[in-house]
Amino acid sequence: MESQRPGIIRRFWQWFRKPSHFAIGTVLTVGVVAGVILWGGFNTAMEYSNTESFCIGCHEMENNVYQEYVGTVHYNNSSGVRATCPDCHVPKEWAPKMVRKIQASKELYAKALGLVDTPQKFEDHRFEMASREWERMKANDSQECRNCHNFEYMDFSTQKSVAAGIHSRAIEDGNTCIDCHKGIAHQLPKGHKIESAI
């Protein structure tokens, strides 16, 4: 009678459970190496997804909001300082960045379903998308704006008197950038009821 050998899964499990003097060292080494590789891959993916080329990789962004942004002072100005898509739409701090990346999955869902794949569909959803972004910026006190623009460092004496007055009032009233500067880098949605301060 021929003896049956255990299957490959059972043999692996028996090997895995068998005590060995190499076990702890092997597990630790494999764990550390795997952790470094996974963290490196994750970080590389995060950095790549925070580039302008990634942001405009789909035609919905490249043909719509990116074309609007190209015509603004945030894209081209006398000082040569340029704010890219992630500078305005992705927090720099790790935890808020992860939250934003999870929220961005809704944008991938919309792309996959073709909800905004034509200029007309994009315009139909523009107010909803803009409102969501304005709410996010209001909730974090326009942190991405304040990475470059900060009331604390503004020299009101060099600003036009109207701007200096509005900024002074904004400080007193506890306003944040997005309260007045909606539509600064992108067109305002059709049918909006926003009076821009700029």
Side-chain angles (χ1 to χ4, degrees), residues 64-77:
N64 293 301
V65 290
Y66 182 72
Q67 297 308 315
E68 299 165 6
Y69 154 73
V70 167
T72 69
V73 71
H74 283 100
Y75 182 83
N76 194 10
N77 56 64

Side-chain angles (χ1 to χ4, degrees), residues 1-107:
M1 201 172 201
E2 195 175 306
S3 65
Q4 288 187 326
R5 291 183 63 195
I8 191 164
I9 294 173
R10 179 172 279 166
R11 283 193 315 242
F12 172 77
W13 184 245
Q14 288 170 347
W15 169 84
F16 183 75
R17 292 188 64 208
K18 186 177 179 182
S20 166
H21 62 280
F22 294 112
I24 292 178
T26 302
V27 169
L28 286 175
T29 302
V30 169
V32 168
V33 169
V36 168
I37 290 170
L38 288 172
W39 181 256
F42 176 78
N43 195 46
T44 300
M46 283 294 107
E47 289 305 313
Y48 175 69
S49 69
N50 281 344
T51 62
E52 189 171 78
S53 59
F54 178 84
C55 294
I56 62 170
C58 62
H59 72 90
E60 290 87 353
M61 292 297 118
E62 184 175 21
N63 296 338
N64 293 301
V65 290
Y66 182 72
Q67 297 308 315
E68 299 165 6
Y69 154 73
V70 167
T72 69
V73 71
H74 283 100
Y75 182 83
N76 194 10
N77 56 64
S78 60
S79 69
V81 175
R82 187 166 161 225
T84 63
C85 306
D87 291 328
C88 297
H89 295 283
V90 181
K92 296 198 183 319
E93 300 79 15
W94 194 84
K97 182 190 296 186
M98 293 304 106
V99 169
R100 179 65 187 111
K101 293 291 183 179
I102 292 167
Q103 291 169 342
S105 63
K106 187 172 184 176
E107 296 160 17

